[in-house]
Amino acid sequence: MSTNVTKRLAAGANLPALGENVLTNTQEALREALSRLGYQNEMYELLREPLRVLTVRIPVRMDDGHVEVFTGYRAQHNDAIGPTKGGIRFHPDVTLDEVKALSIWMSIKCGIFNLPYGGAKGGIICDPRTMSVTEQERLARGYVRAISQVVGPAKDIPAPDVHTNPQIMAWMYDEYSRIRESDSPNFITGKPIVLGGSRGRDKATAKGVCVAMMEAVKVRGLELKGLKAIVQGFGNVGGNVASILHEMGVTVVGVSDAGGALYNPAGLDVPELMERRDSFGMVTTYYDGVISNEELLVQPCDVLIPAALESQITAENAHQIQASIIVEAANGPTTPAADEILSEREVLIVPDVLANAGGVTVSYFEWVQNNQGWYWTEEEVESRMEGMMVRSVQNIFRMSERYEVSTRLAAYMLGIRPFAEAMRWRGWA
Ligand code: GLU
């Protein structure tokens, strides 16, 4: 790779600056990617919204006897390539626009990794932190009953996302199999291993993030030894990223959860933090000297890994970020305005749709294993995913160089192109 590539690889350039709405931002990025690829507006019209969106109301009998009605969504972006695929999040801030944007991002991830899927996403407006296990189970089962007509192993395959986990996948699998009167492990991924889950799925997103980070570190000519990383978020992805980096010999100088952040320039004791964290990734409550999430993002480090929610890196803090590499483990952590600032400052961004796609890639492996009834070793899963991640990062860096666009725009171009081609072949566009 040429020496000036890192300059052009600095993400953010070429994307229009917009407001903070994730859906509008995604649509504008999509429009730009399609126009760079030479497609007419008709193609954008087909891809700018999910082909199908379902809103459901789910009555749940709470433990105290009263019935609460929850609102849930499932957005299926595009099924020109194959069934749609994507996680389900349980979070109080879920909105329809967010779920739609997340479904578009899932399409782009699947396109980049050549998975035979389109993107989908689901969400339920709820706060599982305030719900008992039995209430969560009734909600998970109620959601599957509400969406059962539009999902299935050859239609739309759900998976975990924010605040959902193998236990919730197991209840959903059980409910779907009951409705269909047929055992259907290939209906959902991220299941416990004993129920047909894939080895390596739990850490797949985090592993992929670290593999992608290593490629960026190489491009920047940095050494692993002495590298300092900050990880925002300590849930399934953030916690595992911090652990893997620690095992690799990277000094993890900062971590955070929804309540605050810890920073120590000499490095944090990640194994101890992992031992103390609860099932919602909360850990800072046990420590003194807690700073805010906003303060953490701007502390000195080489690599910043946002692994929490959307819109964390904004025009307000982008100027102060000290990292020279940002690897987006979360979906949508950087706003377009921040992207522009970071681009001017030549910060190298490994965009979300690339960096966190190890999760859906191993979900695909899980579905393949369920379809075949033939299970792989953890080594097979890991080496296949890692190979795909390295190739995808290199493809996007190369694309960014060839078209002289940001890594994010290159990722959108590479990820959306198969959908445009598939729709042409099918005669949709
Ligand atoms: N929720 C994850 C994501 O945003 C994984 C989706 C899947 O495994 O299907 O990529």
Side-chain angles (χ1 to χ4, degrees):
M1 201 161 286
S2 71
T3 46
N4 66 354
V5 66
T6 53
K7 187 167 177 198
R8 285 209 295 275
L9 288 178
N14 320 104
L15 286 183
L18 284 165
E20 305 299 305
N21 182 293
V22 279
L23 179 60
T24 347
N25 295 342
T26 307
Q27 289 171 330
E28 281 313 310
L30 200 62
R31 186 204 294 275
E32 178 75 16
L34 287 165
S35 106
R36 292 271 178 158
L37 290 167
Y39 288 104
Q40 305 297 315
N41 200 45
E42 192 180 65
M43 196 60 85
Y44 169 70
E45 274 305 308
L46 255 165
L47 288 164
R48 72 182 175 84
E49 284 273 335
L51 290 179
R52 182 194 261 155
V53 176
L54 187 65
T55 301
V56 294
R57 304 261 289 149
I58 313 151
V60 174
R61 171 94 43 205
M62 305 303 272
D63 291 347
D64 68 3
H66 87 281
V67 172
E68 204 157 313
V69 184
F70 292 88
T71 299
Y73 306 106
R74 186 73 185 166
Q76 299 169 342
H77 176 238
N78 190 284
D79 59 359
I81 290 179
T84 49
K85 180 91 192 80
I88 297 164
R89 64 174 55 181
F90 282 9
H91 199 276
D93 299 337
V94 163
T95 66
L96 181 55
D97 275 359
E98 178 200 41
V99 172
K100 285 182 181 180
L102 285 158
S103 76
I104 299 174
W105 295 338
M106 285 310 302
S107 285
I108 293 167
K109 291 183 208 184
C110 294
I112 292 170
F113 282 74
N114 285 314
L115 309 181
Y117 299 133
K121 200 72 163 202
I124 302 177
I125 306 169
C126 67
D127 191 350
R129 287 165 292 199
T130 63
M131 294 169 72
S132 71
V133 172
T134 46
E135 288 167 347
Q136 288 183 50
E137 175 176 355
R138 288 193 284 269
L139 178 60
R141 290 184 185 277
Y143 179 71
V144 170
R145 286 195 297 276
I147 64 165
S148 69
Q149 293 300 315
V150 301
V151 289
K155 273 190 193 170
D156 179 15
I157 305 133
D161 198 76
V162 176
H163 292 335
T164 53
N165 53 37
Q167 174 61 81
I168 290 171
M169 299 304 108
W171 290 323
M172 291 185 168
Y173 157 42
D174 185 69
E175 191 66 25
Y176 184 82
S177 297
R178 286 181 195 209
I179 294 167
R180 291 277 171 269
E181 297 185 359
S182 170
D183 187 42
S184 316
N186 52 359
F187 152 65
I188 199 162
T189 59
K191 300 178 293 294
I193 290 178
V194 71
L195 293 182
S198 178
R199 291 191 170 75
R201 175 62 186 86
D202 52 345
K203 297 203 175 92
T205 309
K207 260 256 150 70
V209 167
C210 297
V211 173
M213 183 201 86
M214 285 308 299
E215 289 305 301
V217 165
K218 268 190 238 160
V219 167
R220 272 282 144 111
L222 297 174
E223 291 289 325
L224 199 59
K225 199 169 169 291
L227 200 74
K228 294 190 171 179
I230 288 179
V231 184
Q232 187 205 24
F234 213 62
N236 178 46
V237 179
N240 283 321
V241 165
S243 291
I244 297 168
L245 292 181
H246 181 76
E247 280 162 26
M248 284 163 58
V250 172
T251 310
V252 178
V253 292
V255 300
S256 75
D257 59 23
L262 301 169
Y263 179 80
N264 181 349
L268 296 166
D269 185 344
V270 178
E272 183 189 284
L273 292 166
M274 283 300 274
E275 219 151 86
R276 290 188 166 188
R277 114 186 138 145
D278 73 8
S279 60
F280 294 105
M282 293 303 285
V283 68
T284 58
T285 28
Y286 299 107
Y287 293 88
D288 295 328
V290 173
I291 58 170
S292 71
N293 260 283
E294 294 75 43
E295 285 167 320
L296 178 71
L297 295 175
V298 300
Q299 298 302 315
C301 66
D302 302 298
V303 184
L304 175 62
I305 305 183
L309 290 169
E310 292 99 56
S311 307
Q312 299 298 303
I313 303 175
T314 64
E316 273 79 68
N317 60 17
H319 282 293
Q320 293 139 270
I321 281 175
Q322 306 202 34
S324 62
I325 297 173
I326 296 179
V327 187
E328 296 180 339
N331 289 312
T334 311
T335 65
D339 246 348
E340 248 177 46
I341 297 164
L342 294 166
S343 163
E344 272 159 33
R345 299 185 49 219
E346 296 179 15
V347 174
L348 174 56
I349 295 191
V350 185
D352 50 3
V353 284
L354 171 62
N356 71 30
V360 67
T361 300
V362 176
S363 272
Y364 163 58
F365 296 163
E366 182 170 328
W367 179 76
V368 168
Q369 292 171 79
N370 294 151
N371 287 339
Q372 296 186 332
W374 176 255
Y375 289 86
W376 309 353
T377 64
E378 188 157 348
E379 291 70 45
E380 284 170 322
V381 169
E382 277 186 8
S383 73
R384 284 184 178 139
M385 188 274 280
E386 283 179 33
M388 287 165 79
M389 179 58 82
V390 168
R391 276 194 301 280
S392 300
V393 174
Q394 289 174 353
N395 283 344
I396 284 168
F397 283 5
R398 228 177 285 126
M399 183 114 177
S400 155
E401 191 175 18
R402 186 172 337 124
Y403 284 81
E404 302 197 359
V405 295
S406 70
T407 46
R408 193 182 310 283
L409 186 50
Y412 270 71
M413 289 164 72
L414 204 80
I416 208 64
R417 189 163 55 190
F419 291 91
E421 285 175 11
M423 291 199 298
R424 277 265 160 88
W425 281 106
R426 283 183 187 262
W428 296 359

